[in-house]
């Protein structure tokens, strides 16, 4: 019998959540666009035909926005203000900086 798969409400993947955790672990604070450009630079050329540019950016960063939403639901990320242009800044919570608990009492 197989265990039921736990799904994330925003539909993010392990890969996109990993990108977010890696980038925010280094930069401490970043916009979704910065996370996407650093964590998955190959996606920068995706949706280049969408108009206006804001729709292109929204489509390009959708995966990482979903990952941030799921991490926020787990208490690992939060919104940390906004830039002068109105983009949301994201950062990790203190809970995300703690090491994961050990299983089976192993150190």
């Amino acid at each position: 019998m197989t265990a039921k798969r736990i799904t994330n409400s925003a539909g993010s993947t392990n890969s996109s959540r990993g990108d977010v955790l890696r980038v925010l672990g280094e930069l401490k604070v970043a916009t979704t666009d910065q996370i996407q450009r650093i964590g998955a630079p190959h996606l920068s050329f995706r949706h280049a035909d969408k108009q206006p540019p804001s729709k292109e950016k929204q489509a390009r960063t959708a995966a990482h926005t979903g990952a941030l939403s799921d991490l926020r639901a787990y208490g690992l990320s939060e919104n940390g203000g906004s830039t002068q242009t109105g983009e949301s800044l994201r950062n990790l919570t203190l809970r995300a900086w703690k090491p994961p608990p050990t299983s089976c009492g192993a150190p």
Side-chain angles (χ1 to χ4, degrees), residues 14 28 36 39 52 61 66 68 78 97:
N14 288 338
K28 310 303 184 243
Q36 180 272 312
T61 60
L68 283 160
E78 62 188 3
W97 290 103

Side-chain angles (χ1 to χ4, degrees), residues 23 50 54 58 61-62 69 77 98:
V23 171
K50 290 195 182 274
S54 61
Q58 182 181 10
T61 60
S69 178
S77 74
K98 293 181 182 176

Side-chain angles (χ1 to χ4, degrees), residues 78-98:
E78 62 188 3
N79 293 346
S82 61
T83 64
Q84 292 178 347
T85 59
E87 289 188 78
S88 293
L89 292 171
R90 314 299 177 107
N91 61 294
L92 298 177
T93 63
L94 291 177
R95 181 177 177 198
W97 290 103
K98 293 181 182 176

